[in-house]
Amino acid sequence: MAAPAVVIDCDPGHDDFLAILLAQRFADLRGITTVAGNTSVANTTRNACIAAGMCGFRGPVVAGAAGPLLGEPQFAEHVHGASGLDGPELPAVTRSANEGEASSFLIDACGPETWLIATGPLTNVALAIRRDPGFAARLAGISVMGGSTSYGNITPTAEFNIWADPEAASIVFNSGARLRMVGLNVTHTVLVDWPFVQRVRELDTPPARFAGDLLAAFVTAYSKMSRQPGFAPIHDPCALLWITHPGLFGSVPARVDIELAGAFTRGMTVVDLREAADITAANADVAMSADSARVLDLLYETVSAL
Ligand code: BDR
Ligand code: CA
């Protein structure tokens, strides 16, 4: 089967970086757009260029929104550091971003065969939907890493990507696009641990040393925040691998709404999983399980081949 055409809209970010590497190996990667999220858009764009250089992606990298639709950008430096990729020594940047702006690029580049893989705040995607009313329905679909059917990470109820721009998320989830949502309820079962980091490091090539250091920093950062230290959830690769390897994920169709107002719950994905839920109101396939071992195998295979 032909590799699916994808564009990644991302905020690299340790796990976004890995998603780009996986996309170049397993998908027909047509472009990378960047957004402010884990760090500034200047940093996420530079980091995307580093990832593109490392995996040999020569297509477009286009910068997008510097902040959410409303309010100021909020970065995730407590996880990703000031650079967005703290941990490894960053290699020289061997390419620059293309001219242009992300939402226009998405409108031009994404046709009916294209899956949009969204692994950061949904600002660029929402802007594309606003600018082109036919955009959402035209795509093969949008695979979102974001939200949760259970607990959050940045607040008790909200996951970072949705919380960082809830208005954008609301536009996307009400757009009529074919949506897949892989949230924390699943990504927190796809865990890298120290033995995996060690295996990657033992590949002992420059890209593998970089990836090993990246994963080590990720495990260290999560260990500082976690009740169960020694693991890091590999969030963003799941949104990509659900498209390239659909058999690895189990899901249910459900209605997902974005809380925009709650004093305690702004940015929460309200997922209607009731037995009696009206299935005709579903607007997303919501991931409920993942073959975590296989996801890690694919990650290891990708780094091995760099
Ligand atoms: C998401 O937030 C970011 O920190 C990660 O890159 C991932 O996209 C997890 O909540
Ligand atoms: Ca991300």
Side-chain angles (χ1 to χ4, degrees), residues 171-231:
I171 289 170
V172 173
F173 276 82
N174 285 296
S175 68
R178 284 167 286 276
L179 279 178
R180 292 187 183 178
M181 173 187 128
V182 56
L184 301 176
N185 56 299
V186 164
T187 64
H188 276 249
T189 69
V190 182
L191 298 169
V192 157
D193 59 10
W194 285 116
F196 184 85
V197 173
Q198 186 57 24
R199 279 181 62 218
V200 169
R201 283 183 157 153
E202 283 167 4
L203 290 165
D204 207 23
T205 60
R209 283 196 290 277
F210 181 90
D213 289 350
L214 198 69
L215 289 167
F218 212 35
V219 174
T220 302
Y222 267 93
S223 293
K224 286 185 189 145
M225 307 182 291
S226 169
R227 295 172 206 226
Q228 204 191 353
F231 301 94

Side-chain angles (χ1 to χ4, degrees), residues 47-61:
N47 297 345
C49 287
I50 294 173
M54 190 170 288
C55 66
F57 175 68
R58 294 193 181 80
V61 176

Side-chain angles (χ1 to χ4, degrees), residues 10-22:
C10 58
D11 63 338
H14 297 63
D15 50 337
D16 305 79
F17 193 99
L18 301 171
I20 292 169
L21 303 183
L22 287 156

